[in-house]
């Protein structure tokens, strides 16, 4: 088949220019490997930091959509016009709608914001 000569199995010495290139390539490979190792350790360190940081953190108090803590009920006083007869109420996004009639018989919708504690809309409903 093929005859392998013993001279081919031994490495021949490289000329000085090729030896210089080989040394530079080995140095580049070592530096690149070290940079990759340091980068990988930084990523693992960040992951471990995040995992241990979130476990030691105290749980935040539960807050509802209205911005009011669920463990502390909100106390508020609403000042409606004198003689206002409430016919219906509605609650959405931290605001309460009071629908009713004034003493004069006008239909009104009053919107109160729970976060600020003030009336944000006073709508007179005209019509039949």
């Amino acid at each position: 088949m093929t005859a392998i000569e013993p001279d081919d199995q031994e490495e021949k010495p490289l000329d000085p220019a090729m030896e210089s290139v080989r040394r530079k390539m080995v140095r580049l490979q070592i530096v690149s490997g070290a940079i990759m190792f340091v980068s990988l350790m930084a990523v693992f360190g960040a992951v471990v930091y995040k995992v241990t940081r979130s476990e030691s953190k105290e749980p935040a108090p539960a807050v509802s959509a209205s911005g009011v803590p669920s463990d502390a009920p909100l106390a508020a006083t609403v000042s409606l016009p004198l003689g206002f007869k409430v016919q219906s109420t509605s609650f959405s996004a931290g605001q309460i709608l009071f629908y009713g009639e004034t003493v004069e018989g006008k239909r009104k919708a009053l919107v109160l914001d729970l976060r600020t504690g003030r009336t944000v809309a006073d709508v007179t409903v005209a019509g039949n």
Side-chain angles (χ1 to χ4, degrees), residues 62-108:
V63 177
S64 66
S66 67
V68 178
S70 61
D71 59 345
L74 179 69
T77 302
V78 179
S79 296
L80 297 174
L82 287 174
F84 187 80
K85 296 178 189 172
V86 177
Q87 295 175 344
S88 67
T89 60
S90 179
F91 177 79
S92 176
Q95 296 181 339
I96 299 176
L97 167 75
F98 294 98
Y99 181 76
E101 285 186 11
T102 62
V103 174
E104 298 88 29
K106 294 181 184 176
R107 293 183 295 181
K108 283 192 160 208

Side-chain angles (χ1 to χ4, degrees), residues 33-83:
I35 290 173
M36 290 293 288
F37 179 75
V38 168
S39 300
L40 188 63
M41 289 298 110
V43 169
F44 283 140
V47 168
V48 168
Y49 174 77
K50 284 289 190 176
V51 168
T52 58
R53 185 86 166 148
S54 65
E55 289 176 0
S56 65
K57 194 191 290 185
E58 295 178 13
V63 177
S64 66
S66 67
V68 178
S70 61
D71 59 345
L74 179 69
T77 302
V78 179
S79 296
L80 297 174
L82 287 174

Side-chain angles (χ1 to χ4, degrees), residues 12-30:
K12 296 178 184 175
L14 297 173
D15 62 340
M18 288 302 290
E19 183 66 23
S20 173
V21 169
R22 187 189 71 79
R23 283 185 188 148
K24 287 181 182 178
M25 293 299 288
V26 168
R27 192 177 325 134
L28 177 66
Q29 188 176 10
I30 290 171

